Amino acid sequence: MTRILFAANSKAWADYEAPLRKALDDAGQDFELVTESDPSSVDYIVYAPNSRVQNFKPYSSLKAVLNLWAGVENVTGNDTLSVPLARMVDDGMTEGMVEWCIAHVMRHHLDTDIDIKRTDHDWQPRVPKLARNRCVSVLGIGALGGAVAKALAALNFQVTGWSRRPRDIPEIVCLSGSDGLIEALRNAEILILLLPLTPETENLLNAERLSLLPKGAVVINPGRGPLIDDAALIAALDAGHLGHATLDVFRIEPLPADHPFWSHPKVTVTPHIASATRVESASRVIAENIRRGERGEQFLHLVDRSRGY
């Protein structure tokens, strides 16, 4: 029998227990799902990085750690972890991210704030650009970013994607490397950040790179807060170089009440809601990985700890 330790808080357990048991049953697994166990008897850990489990050395029979979150930056540096680590990629999370990004791209593309905030009965019709005349760049075109880029291309936006390594996605201009990053930024009337957080991507959007964006550009960040230099972003907004920033993720969460993002007229704050793991679809991903592990097959969504994602 496969012993699976669920290492997360009590609310997550309440949410996941029934869907995860069902998904494991549907996958044909003979399993024991527990929240407490002798570490030496555990085969898999379903894991939240903020759980009580931080030292993996006692788990001598461990076959894999299956992360509940898409982000793994709080796990990759753990030197006690020597078994495969899989990050969470589920179709519910991907759909949610696509929907959130499209909503905010369309908001800025059509300048809907002008009409929504109109209070003076001023009848001033506008003719917004068509999507085919709007350039959107997506930094990070992995599972989430690639899905967002493809959805925007399907709406006829001119989409450029950038990644550290070369990728090929139909209907999207795919760039990579330092020269590709410069081109992606210079093209971006709307910029979406969906990169993982690594030492290489922290503060990627600094003052120098923000200056490469076209005047009036909009920055949308549902990826990771530290991808952006906060002070440089505020300075670019105050100088009039950037038109707006819509931010869903931050260096400190919840965002402190005295943070200037809250009151800045050119910043929209959303409380880390762009996308979330959906327990039913996530449970199926976890069950499939355990099925694979028990059959000696390749795990899904493995993390390369040398790259940090």
Side-chain angles (χ1 to χ4, degrees):
M1 180 177 290
T2 303
R3 177 165 290 187
I4 305 162
L5 175 66
F6 189 90
N9 63 34
S10 57
K11 182 183 183 307
W13 174 244
D15 291 339
Y16 270 95
E17 182 184 9
L20 187 51
R21 289 188 186 280
K22 181 180 185 305
L24 289 162
D25 282 332
D26 290 346
Q29 295 302 306
D30 183 17
F31 68 93
E32 183 180 10
L33 181 62
V34 298
T35 57
E36 300 285 345
S37 181
D38 171 9
S40 65
S41 68
V42 172
D43 296 296
Y44 299 91
I45 300 179
V46 178
Y47 188 65
N50 62 355
S51 79
R52 68 188 184 284
V53 177
Q54 298 297 320
N55 181 6
F56 294 97
K57 285 186 176 178
Y59 296 88
S60 55
S61 300
L62 193 62
K63 299 175 182 176
V65 172
L66 309 176
N67 212 47
L68 284 170
W69 303 354
V72 292
E73 62 269 15
N74 294 323
V75 193
T76 52
N78 190 325
D79 293 335
T80 69
L81 180 60
S82 58
V83 300
L85 168 67
R87 65 191 180 92
M88 177 52 65
V89 177
D90 78 278
D91 54 9
M93 178 188 294
T94 302
E95 287 181 40
M97 183 62 76
V98 168
E99 291 173 6
W100 188 93
C101 287
I102 286 177
H104 286 281
V105 167
M106 294 303 294
R107 168 196 168 198
H108 295 298
H109 165 59
L110 296 173
D111 282 332
T112 53
D113 285 4
I114 293 174
D115 298 315
I116 291 170
K117 296 177 180 179
R118 194 186 304 279
T119 59
D120 55 6
H121 307 116
D122 186 19
W123 186 274
Q124 296 231 1
R126 298 174 297 109
V127 180
K129 281 187 178 184
L130 294 172
R132 66 171 178 250
N133 297 317
R134 180 78 67 187
C135 296
V136 181
S137 288
V138 181
L139 303 190
I141 46 175
L144 291 177
V148 169
K150 287 188 282 189
L152 290 168
L155 291 172
N156 219 23
F157 285 98
Q158 296 181 40
V159 182
T160 297
W162 179 85
S163 56
R164 195 170 74 170
R165 295 181 300 162
R167 292 181 181 270
D168 184 12
I169 302 176
E171 310 301 326
I172 295 165
V173 176
C174 294
L175 304 173
S176 61
S178 57
D179 289 343
L181 178 58
I182 292 171
E183 184 178 345
L185 292 172
R186 285 178 171 164
N187 289 341
E189 294 175 87
I190 299 175
L191 179 70
I192 303 172
L193 303 179
L194 278 168
L195 290 160
L197 179 59
T198 69
E200 291 75 25
T201 63
E202 185 169 0
N203 290 321
L204 182 81
L205 212 60
N206 56 20
E208 179 183 359
R209 294 194 179 101
L210 285 167
S211 71
L212 297 175
L213 293 167
K215 183 174 174 59
V218 170
V219 173
I220 299 175
N221 187 16
R224 293 287 180 267
L227 298 174
I228 300 177
D229 179 330
D230 291 358
L233 178 63
I234 290 173
L237 291 165
D238 288 344
H241 181 66
L242 295 184
H244 201 91
T246 292
L247 309 174
D248 185 61
V249 287
F250 307 92
R251 292 175 181 273
I252 301 173
E253 294 185 2
L255 185 65
D258 60 350
H259 197 287
F261 283 159
W262 281 114
S263 58
H264 200 288
K266 293 182 179 180
V267 175
T268 298
V269 170
T270 64
H272 204 144
I273 57 168
S275 190
T277 304
R278 270 60 174 184
V279 295
E280 290 81 8
S281 51
S283 294
R284 291 192 293 271
V285 172
I286 292 166
E288 172 60 15
N289 257 342
I290 291 173
R291 186 200 69 77
R292 286 169 173 254
E294 290 304 283
R295 288 159 178 76
E297 300 175 9
Q298 179 78 16
F299 291 107
L300 298 171
H301 316 308
L302 277 177
V303 172
D304 181 344
R305 288 201 283 275
S306 69
R307 298 207 314 260
Y309 59 93

